[in-house]
Amino acid sequence: MSNFSYIRGLGYHVPERVYTNADLEKFVDTTDEWINSRTGIKQRHVVENETCLDLTFEATQKALKNAGMEADELTHILVATFTADTIIPSTACLLMERLGLKHRIPMDISAACSGFVYAVEVARALINLNPDSKILVCGSEVLTSRVNWEDRSTCVLFGDGAGAIILTSEDCENSGKVIDVLLSSEGESETLTVRGAGSAYPYKLGDVVGEDHFIQMQGRSIYRKAVRSMSSISNEILAKHGFTTKDVDLLIPHQANLRIIEAVGKKLELPTEKVFVNVNKFGNTSAASIPIALAEAKEIGAIKSGDLVLLATFGGGLTWGSTLIQF
């Protein structure tokens, strides 16, 4: 039995509506210069009438088309998100219904911005248990549903979107071999959190929605921990397989903030042309960030056959991880 899983298809979807920094200036106490100089973000896509399920479904359709597969070939559906349509049922269950499927294995995975990479590791384990599995792995978020537009330090960072890949045990033309995934975490409940609607923060009918229902973040602490954790685990996975950063053709980091991305690239001694960036267009889409970037990089030719691609992520929990893929 092979220990490898293969990416057979990729796809992503973002809402049509765009909020530029100039748009935010109209209702947020901020400026384009302030946002761009601190984050590198110029715009973000924002849902109008769409939900997390809608975004996930569209990304899935594109991944299936890219893979040359039909939905009924899927055996498992994994969706990484913390902005699901409903607490019950899971987005994965809703997606199974939307795809017209029954008797599959759907589940949502919660690891904040690291959720997609965590879901890839779960998929790899499932494929090793049952090599006939064909697993849809999605990262999808409607972060603007959890943004406090009066908190100018956080609301400018986030956007909505979804990305999807299909993992199988079968190597085929143009597939990417997932060599390994490394994950880590640090149980920490203050740096990045959404408390509202959790059972530890109960509310009753008629209560007013408060700040704890929205993203709260300690930006400076996140910056330091993200840079240290992403660079460290990236070096660890490379060393484990006899590589150095000189072997990496492309780094795709979580698109949280351009300053974090640049700092991680510098720590890994990678030239800017080997660090993929699209945070300027999409903002931070949390669990959707890496699958969107991965699918876009493949689509525009930034990933070529033979390339060694390194993924690095960091999110609330605190959670972080790295993935090594050979295309």
Side-chain angles (χ1 to χ4, degrees):
M1 184 187 301
S2 169
N3 288 322
F4 298 118
S5 301
Y6 296 88
I7 299 174
R8 186 164 158 185
L10 309 93
Y12 75 97
H13 178 77
V14 291
E16 286 188 18
R17 182 168 64 171
V18 171
Y19 277 4
T20 65
N21 292 344
D23 292 326
L24 293 189
E25 287 178 356
K26 298 171 185 175
F27 62 94
V28 178
D29 182 16
T30 191
T31 65
D32 172 62
E33 191 279 330
W34 191 93
I35 299 169
N36 192 36
S37 64
R38 287 164 176 77
T39 71
I41 298 168
K42 299 181 185 297
Q43 63 176 46
R44 69 286 297 145
H45 290 252
V46 177
V47 297
E48 286 187 274
N49 301 311
E50 298 145 299
T51 69
C52 182
L53 171 62
D54 295 327
L55 301 180
T56 313
F57 176 76
E58 295 298 333
T60 297
Q61 294 291 77
K62 292 174 183 177
L64 286 167
K65 182 178 180 181
N66 183 247
M69 291 174 60
E70 298 296 328
D72 63 7
E73 297 180 61
L74 298 173
T75 59
H76 301 70
I77 297 169
L78 309 182
V79 179
T81 187
F82 75 90
T83 56
D85 285 28
T86 55
I87 293 175
I88 299 173
S90 68
T91 301
C93 278
L94 295 174
L95 180 60
M96 182 179 70
E97 180 185 44
R98 178 76 63 89
L99 291 169
L101 304 176
K102 292 185 182 296
H103 311 302
R104 302 311 200 270
I105 303 170
M107 66 180 95
D108 283 4
I109 291 175
S110 176
C113 301
S114 304
F116 175 77
V117 172
Y118 270 65
V120 169
E121 179 71 329
V122 172
R124 291 174 72 231
L126 291 167
I127 286 169
N128 272 282
L129 283 170
N130 184 353
D132 292 331
S133 300
K134 294 179 173 61
I135 303 181
L136 176 70
V137 184
C138 305
S140 182
E141 303 282 13
V142 180
L143 289 171
T144 54
S145 70
R146 288 291 186 164
V147 159
N148 176 1
W149 293 106
E150 295 182 10
D151 179 2
R152 68 173 187 168
S153 66
T154 61
C155 71
V156 301
L157 300 174
F158 299 105
D160 305 328
I165 66 171
I166 297 166
L167 283 176
T168 75
S169 64
E170 303 165 358
D171 189 5
C172 57
E173 189 177 358
N174 296 321
S175 65
K177 178 171 71 175
V178 181
I179 297 171
D180 202 1
V181 176
L182 287 184
L183 303 174
S184 193
S185 62
E186 175 185 303
E188 204 268 56
S189 60
E190 297 298 323
T191 307
L192 179 56
T193 184
V194 180
R195 296 186 176 91
S199 62
Y201 300 86
Y203 54 96
K204 61 183 182 297
L205 192 64
D207 280 356
V208 175
V209 171
E211 291 182 0
D212 60 354
H213 278 68
F214 303 102
I215 297 166
Q216 296 177 318
M217 184 174 71
Q218 299 172 14
R220 290 183 180 179
S221 180
I222 286 287
Y223 176 91
R224 292 192 301 271
K225 292 181 178 182
V227 172
R228 181 176 66 246
S229 301
M230 290 166 70
S231 56
S232 174
I233 203 163
S234 293
N235 278 320
E236 185 180 348
I237 199 170
L238 288 168
K240 180 181 176 182
H241 294 276
F243 295 114
T244 70
T245 54
K246 290 182 172 61
D247 297 304
V248 174
D249 295 294
L250 191 67
L251 168 68
I252 300 181
H254 168 47
Q255 304 291 308
N257 178 312
L258 183 59
R259 307 305 158 226
I260 292 174
I261 293 168
E262 289 175 337
V264 172
K266 187 175 181 180
K267 267 191 167 292
L268 294 176
E269 299 181 342
L270 288 169
T272 55
E273 61 268 20
K274 287 191 173 185
V275 181
F276 189 80
V277 175
N278 65 7
V279 69
N280 55 309
K281 298 189 296 183
F282 301 119
N284 181 347
T285 55
S286 187
S289 161
I290 282 186
I292 288 174
L294 185 62
E296 186 189 28
K298 192 73 167 65
E299 181 180 76
I300 66 176
I303 297 173
K304 299 175 290 297
S305 179
D307 279 358
L308 184 67
V309 176
L310 176 65
L311 312 181
T313 190
F314 182 89
L318 297 168
T319 57
W320 60 93
S322 187
T323 305
L324 203 54
I325 307 170
Q326 183 80 60
F327 280 89

